[in-house]
Amino acid sequence: MRHHIIVKWNSSVTDKAALLAEVEEFFGKTTSIPGIHKVEMIPNIIDRPNRYDLMIVITMEESALPVYDESVYHKEWKEKYGKCLETKAIFDSADFA
């Protein structure tokens, strides 16, 4: 499956490129969780107020989702980066790759 995390940064984020690099490094660690195979960062290329800034796509086994949800990485994501979010959307899809 693919677990999509789609985020819009709030006004406290002044350097989106630096934050992207930090988040990319952070999420790279999640591949240590059994069943998580790949993490992709897909930044938005059009900067408009009605656009989200980043889509994080985690390719994983469906059984890995509850493990991820309870992991230190998920908890740290919410604790450390939650304050940077204006809004987010979560979407899970089949992995057709």
Side-chain angles (χ1 to χ4, degrees), residues 11-80:
S11 60
S12 73
V13 176
T14 56
D15 189 346
K16 292 179 184 180
L19 187 56
L20 172 63
E22 186 178 320
V23 169
E24 188 168 24
E25 181 180 342
F26 173 81
F27 269 97
K29 299 173 189 175
T30 64
T31 59
S32 67
I33 297 172
I36 294 184
H37 305 293
K38 181 171 72 170
V39 177
E40 298 171 88
M41 299 287 143
I42 305 168
N44 181 24
I45 61 169
I46 304 295
D47 189 17
R48 291 187 180 170
N50 67 338
R51 301 290 197 268
Y52 281 73
D53 294 300
L54 175 64
M55 181 167 58
I56 304 161
V57 182
I58 306 172
T59 303
M60 66 172 74
E61 302 299 320
E62 195 170 329
S63 60
L65 183 59
V67 178
Y68 166 73
D69 284 343
E70 294 300 318
S71 73
V72 296
Y73 303 114
H74 187 247
K75 291 173 184 170
E76 187 176 342
W77 161 250
K78 291 169 71 173
E79 182 180 309
K80 185 173 182 178

